[in-house]
């Protein structure tokens, strides 16, 4: 005869504790590794943000250098321009000029200027000569009534033609500055592009008769491109630049391409700076970006997370596993030596006692709250019922006797409506305070719920359905009271879906009880309101649309039927479909 295997008591106690210890240590180890990775990723983000700020400072230095270069170039251009005589002849010419802002055209009369003995209008000799010296754009303007028109320029329009006969209007910052006899330096639109510019007034007989201009295109970033393409960040990172349309202006491998889809870009382009993590070629990638307003572009830096933290993850996992194994061994030895059946039983008993106490306390608090509110409600209703009846009766009489055109008729009608509303509230208080007996009888729960649903006004944009697979549909309940319960919940579900949705009723059950689930696809109930649902007078509806007695009445009727009610709700679309589920469990026989 084979002997029965006897497991020592300490081993019986040790096995579940061992599993708990191992689980806790493993979870702690995973948490530590995860926190290490998160901490490293946070450092990556900080590094990228610092890198972006450094790049912005580089762009700012480039902008300042451009401005200094323009100031120097303007001095050189002025010396060269006035090294030859400028003559204003007696002849005039009529020219069709174009506003560089609005593209509107009109005719203007210009005196013919000669520079070095040659007519200046349309001439390219001086501007092209200066372009070879300063390496930027150069223009000579003459003043007209509308502003300053280009008569000699190497600036080109979008069609490639020189922008001769285009003019700067008088209301531009450039024109306003030079008309005061001062030079202008700064950003300005030249035809259709942004330039770092310098404008110097040309004085004839002490009057501003023209302008001398030099400029450098802001987004001519050849030097910046060379510097950025040679920069690396960490093991896998690099800087890049893109404009407000998402076009990559500077990038080590994708220059000229579009960065991301439209939704992706909309999230970036609606902000001035930030960080984001996304997938590229199957790898997790983090990028930091910031808007550089003077050049109207975004400066960014990015790295591949898994490449950067690969070594860290390897070291963190191996180190954490070693510590975890040592910790598990020491803890298990300690627990095995000192665990006793008494301690095990004590902890189990304590856990059961605390759970039972918490449940009992919650139920007792709710019962005491409802009982107390019932007593108060009965007293309030009794005291208010008679005076409200008098107010309702006499206000109705006054309204009937008033002429149709009486100026106070609307005020009296308001008194009647509000008095009727008060009577409805009092009626609700009486229903809540009244402790009815349960007049239970056998009911087909499927047909019963179908009848309650048909009694509720359902908008066209809400679909309803009743689902069940139970064979025995007979339940004992009080028809009048449970009609209030289900009608109230169905109305609440409809009101929770003002934009439309689905109202589904599911019936499931066993031999002893039946569960009815009323589910909607509305906006859900916030967590802060979940604990107040069955509190009398609590309502989220607007003033005048609810008394806050509906759900407490539902709770009381379900409890009188020895049933249970549970609520599950979700308001966060990221966690799944939003909506609320009221689950009512009723015994088949009370």
């Amino acid at each position: 005869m084979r002997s029965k295997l006897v497991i020592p008591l300490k081993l019986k106690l040790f096995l579940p504790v061992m599993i708990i210890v191992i689980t806790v240590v493993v979870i702690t180890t995973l948490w530590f590794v995860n926190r290490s990775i998160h901490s490293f990723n946070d450092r990556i983000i900080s590094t990228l943000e610092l890198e972006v700020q450094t790049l912005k400072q580089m762009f700012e230095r480039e902008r300042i250098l451009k401005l200094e270069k323009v100031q120097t170039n303007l001095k050189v251009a002025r010396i060269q321009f006035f090294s030859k005589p400028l003559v204003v002849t007696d002849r005039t010419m009529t020219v069709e000029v174009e506003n560089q802002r609005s593209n509107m055209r009109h005719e203007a009369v210009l005196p013919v200027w000669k520079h070095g003995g040659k007519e200046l209008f349309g001439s390219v000799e001086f501007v092209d000569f200066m372009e070879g010296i300063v390496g930027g754009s150069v223009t000579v303007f003459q003043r007209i009534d509308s502003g300053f028109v280009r008569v000699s320029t190497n600036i080109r329009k979008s069609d490639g033609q020189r922008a001769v006969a285009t003019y700067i209007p008088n209301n531009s910052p450039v024109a306003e500055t030079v008309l005061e006899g001062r030079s202008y330096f700064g950003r300005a639109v030249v035809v259709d592009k942004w330039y770092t510019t310098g404008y110097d007034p040309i004085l004839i007989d002490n009057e501003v008769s023209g302008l001398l201009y030099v400029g450098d295109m802001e987004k001519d970033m050849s030097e910046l491109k060379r510097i950025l393409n040679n920069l690396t960040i960490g093991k896998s990172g690099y800087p890049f630049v893109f404009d407000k349309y998402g076009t990559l202006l500077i990038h080590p491998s994708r220059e000229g391409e579009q960065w991301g889809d439209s939704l992706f870009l909309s999230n970036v382009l609606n902000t001035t700076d930030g960080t984001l993590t996304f997938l590229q070629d199957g790898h997790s990638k983090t990028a930091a970006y910031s808007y550089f307003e003077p050049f109207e572009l975004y400066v960014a830096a990015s790295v591949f997370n898994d490449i950067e933290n690969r070594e860290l993850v390897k070291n963190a996992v191996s180190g954490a596993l070693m510590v975890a194994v040592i910790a598990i061994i020491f803890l298990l030895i300690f627990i095995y030596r000192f665990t006793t059946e008494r301690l095990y039983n004590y902890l189990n008993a304590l856990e059961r006692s605390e759970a039972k106490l918490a449940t009992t306390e919650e139920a007792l608090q709710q019962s005491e709250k409802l009982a107390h509110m019932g007593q108060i409600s009965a007293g309030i209703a009794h005291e208010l019922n008679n005076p409200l009846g008098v107010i309702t009766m006499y206000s109705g009489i006054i309204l009937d006797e008033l002429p149709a055109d009486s100026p106070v008729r609307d005020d009296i009608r308001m008194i009647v409506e509000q008095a009727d509303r008060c009577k409805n509230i009092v009626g609700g208080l009486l229903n809540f305070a009244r402790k009815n007996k349960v007049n239970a009888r056998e009911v087909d729960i499927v047909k019963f719920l179908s009848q309650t649903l048909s009694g509720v006004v359902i908008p066209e944009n809400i679909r309803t359905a009743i689902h069940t697979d139970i064979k025995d549909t007979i339940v004992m309940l009080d028809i009048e009271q449970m009609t209030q319960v289900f009608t109230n919940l169905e109305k609440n579900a409809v009101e929770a879906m003002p934009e439309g949705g689905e109202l589904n009723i599911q019936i499931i059950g066993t031999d002893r009880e039946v569960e009815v689930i009323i589910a909607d696809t509305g906006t859900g109930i916030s967590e802060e309101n979940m604990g107040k649902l069955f509190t009398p007078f609590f309502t989220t509806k607007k003033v005048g649309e609810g008394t806050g007695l509906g759900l407490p009445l539902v709770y009381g009727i379900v409890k009188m039927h020895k049933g249970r009610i549970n609520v599950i709700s979700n308001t966060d679309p990221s966690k799944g479909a939003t909506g609320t589920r009221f689950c009512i469990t009723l015994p088949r026989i009370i």
Side-chain angles (χ1 to χ4, degrees):
M1 183 176 180
R2 301 179 65 179
S3 59
K4 185 177 180 181
L5 180 63
V6 179
I7 301 177
L9 177 59
K10 279 194 174 182
L11 187 56
K12 288 182 180 179
L13 298 173
F14 179 70
L15 287 175
V17 176
M18 179 181 68
I19 295 173
I20 292 173
V21 169
I22 293 175
T23 303
V24 170
V25 173
V26 169
I27 291 174
T28 304
T29 302
L30 293 175
W31 176 84
F32 170 76
V33 173
N34 187 59
R35 287 304 304 163
S36 298
I37 295 173
H38 274 290
S39 178
F40 185 77
N41 288 337
D42 289 341
R43 289 199 297 271
I44 288 177
I45 291 174
S46 298
T47 301
L48 290 174
E49 290 174 339
L50 180 61
E51 191 72 28
V52 167
Q53 293 306 314
T54 303
L55 292 172
K56 284 184 67 176
Q57 291 175 5
M58 185 186 302
F59 274 69
E60 178 63 20
R61 286 196 299 271
E62 176 69 11
R63 186 187 70 82
I64 293 173
L65 289 174
K66 282 181 178 288
L67 186 59
E68 292 175 350
K69 178 183 176 184
V70 164
Q71 292 171 341
T72 302
N73 290 346
L74 185 58
K75 291 179 182 178
V76 173
R78 185 171 186 84
I79 292 171
Q80 291 294 328
F81 183 75
F82 287 106
S83 66
K84 296 181 179 181
L86 175 65
V87 177
V88 180
T89 68
D90 294 333
R91 292 187 297 112
T92 60
M93 58 188 303
T94 302
V95 180
E96 185 180 49
V97 296
E98 177 183 349
N99 188 319
Q100 72 170 25
R101 283 186 179 179
S102 64
N103 300 121
M104 298 294 291
R105 295 172 178 268
H106 67 85
E107 290 187 346
V109 177
L110 295 175
V112 176
W113 283 8
K114 286 188 176 182
H115 182 248
K118 298 179 181 180
E119 289 190 9
L120 191 59
F121 188 88
S123 172
V124 301
E125 181 177 340
F126 171 73
V127 294
D128 288 355
F129 170 73
M130 287 306 304
E131 183 179 12
I133 295 177
V134 302
S137 56
V138 182
T139 300
V140 180
F141 292 83
Q142 283 187 231
R143 186 178 177 184
I144 59 176
D145 291 340
S146 305
F148 292 89
V149 64
R150 293 177 179 87
V151 295
S152 177
T153 182
N154 59 1
I155 294 289
R156 297 183 183 274
K157 297 187 289 186
S158 58
D159 60 3
Q161 299 294 320
R162 293 181 185 253
V164 175
T166 60
Y167 71 92
I168 302 173
N170 282 324
N171 59 357
S172 71
V174 172
E176 291 174 350
T177 301
V178 295
L179 284 173
E180 296 175 359
R182 295 184 291 115
S183 298
Y184 175 91
F185 294 99
R187 300 180 73 228
V189 175
V190 179
V191 182
D192 58 357
K193 294 182 178 64
W194 283 99
Y195 283 71
T196 302
T197 65
Y199 292 84
D200 219 6
I202 297 175
L203 301 177
I204 297 177
D205 297 332
N206 292 324
E207 289 188 4
V208 178
S209 302
L211 296 176
L212 185 60
Y213 152 87
V214 295
D216 201 355
M217 188 182 297
E218 281 191 344
K219 295 183 182 179
D220 181 15
M221 297 179 291
S222 55
E223 181 63 20
L224 287 172
K225 185 182 299 185
R226 185 188 65 79
I227 296 173
L228 264 61
N229 284 338
N230 290 326
L231 286 178
T232 58
I233 303 171
K235 299 176 182 178
S236 63
Y238 53 85
F240 60 98
V241 177
F242 60 98
D243 62 17
K244 60 184 178 180
Y245 304 105
T247 304
L248 292 166
L249 303 177
I250 300 178
H251 192 279
S253 60
R254 297 178 55 199
E255 194 167 300
E257 297 181 14
Q258 199 76 4
W259 185 47
D261 56 32
S262 58
L263 180 60
F264 180 85
L265 284 174
S266 65
N267 293 330
V268 173
L269 301 180
N270 287 333
T271 58
T272 56
D273 53 70
T275 59
L276 58 144
T277 301
F278 54 96
L279 288 177
Q280 180 176 320
D281 301 327
H283 296 280
S284 175
K285 193 172 186 179
T286 297
Y289 60 90
S290 185
Y291 185 62
F292 187 66
E293 186 173 1
F295 286 5
E296 293 186 315
L297 48 74
Y298 286 83
V299 182
S302 65
V303 295
F304 287 99
N305 293 5
D306 47 359
I307 296 177
E308 296 296 326
N309 59 26
R310 182 181 297 156
E311 194 69 25
L312 171 75
V313 172
K314 180 181 176 181
N315 294 335
V317 170
S318 59
L321 284 177
M322 183 179 297
V323 173
V325 170
I326 295 173
I328 288 173
I329 292 173
F330 276 100
L331 284 172
L332 292 180
I333 293 173
F334 178 82
I335 291 171
Y336 183 78
R337 289 177 61 87
F338 295 101
T339 300
T340 63
E341 186 174 9
R342 181 179 177 184
L343 178 60
Y344 180 76
N345 291 336
Y346 171 77
L347 292 175
N348 275 344
L350 181 62
E351 184 179 355
R352 289 194 299 269
S353 176
E354 288 180 348
K356 184 175 180 181
L357 181 61
T359 303
T360 304
E361 184 179 0
E362 183 180 352
L364 181 60
Q365 288 177 350
Q366 184 67 14
S367 298
E368 289 178 349
K369 186 190 299 181
L370 292 176
H372 184 62
M373 293 306 300
Q375 293 173 0
I376 296 175
S377 300
I380 294 174
H382 177 74
E383 294 297 329
L384 291 179
N385 208 25
N386 289 336
L388 277 176
V390 173
I391 293 172
T392 302
M393 180 180 68
Y394 280 101
S395 60
I397 292 173
I398 294 173
L399 182 63
D400 292 339
E401 293 180 352
L402 280 175
D405 58 350
S406 173
V408 299
R409 187 173 182 84
D410 289 340
D411 296 335
I412 299 301
R413 182 182 292 106
M414 177 66 73
I415 294 173
V416 172
E417 291 174 354
Q418 294 303 313
D420 287 339
R421 177 169 172 256
C422 290
K423 285 189 66 178
N424 292 334
I425 295 174
V426 169
L429 289 171
L430 289 173
N431 288 333
F432 172 69
R434 187 182 299 119
K435 292 186 178 180
N436 294 329
K437 293 182 179 180
V438 177
N439 183 21
R441 54 178 170 170
E442 291 185 350
V443 175
D444 185 321
I445 188 66
V446 178
K447 293 181 179 179
F448 176 70
L449 286 168
S450 179
Q451 291 172 355
T452 62
L453 188 60
S454 65
V456 176
V457 177
I458 308 293
E460 293 182 356
N461 59 356
I462 294 179
R463 299 186 298 275
T464 63
I466 298 178
H467 309 279
T468 182
D469 57 0
I470 61 173
K471 296 179 181 179
D472 184 5
T473 60
I474 302 302
V475 182
M476 291 191 67
L477 51 80
D478 186 311
I479 295 178
E480 181 180 349
Q481 292 184 21
M482 292 309 295
T483 298
Q484 294 183 60
V485 169
F486 292 120
T487 301
N488 198 314
L489 295 179
E490 290 160 359
K491 287 181 178 179
N492 285 351
V494 170
E495 292 173 357
M497 299 181 288
E499 304 298 328
E502 297 181 2
L503 169 56
N504 293 305
I505 300 177
Q506 185 177 5
I507 308 168
I508 56 179
T510 64
D511 294 338
R512 294 186 176 183
E513 58 187 21
V514 170
E515 183 178 7
V516 178
I517 302 171
I518 299 177
D520 64 63
T521 58
T523 55
I525 302 169
S526 64
E527 291 184 8
E528 61 184 28
N529 290 336
M530 286 291 287
K532 307 174 187 177
L533 288 182
F534 302 113
T535 302
F537 303 111
F538 172 75
T539 180
T540 58
K541 297 178 181 178
K542 296 179 181 178
V543 176
E545 295 183 3
T547 62
L549 295 173
L551 288 179
L553 186 63
V554 167
Y555 180 89
I557 293 174
V558 171
K559 288 299 181 183
M560 284 193 293
H561 281 71
K562 299 179 181 179
R564 304 185 302 276
I565 184 169
N566 186 34
V567 186
I568 302 171
S569 189
N570 177 40
T571 60
D572 187 355
S574 65
K575 297 179 180 179
T578 59
T580 304
R581 292 159 52 94
F582 279 85
C583 308
I584 299 175
T585 305
L586 299 171
R588 286 187 179 272
I589 300 176
I590 300 178

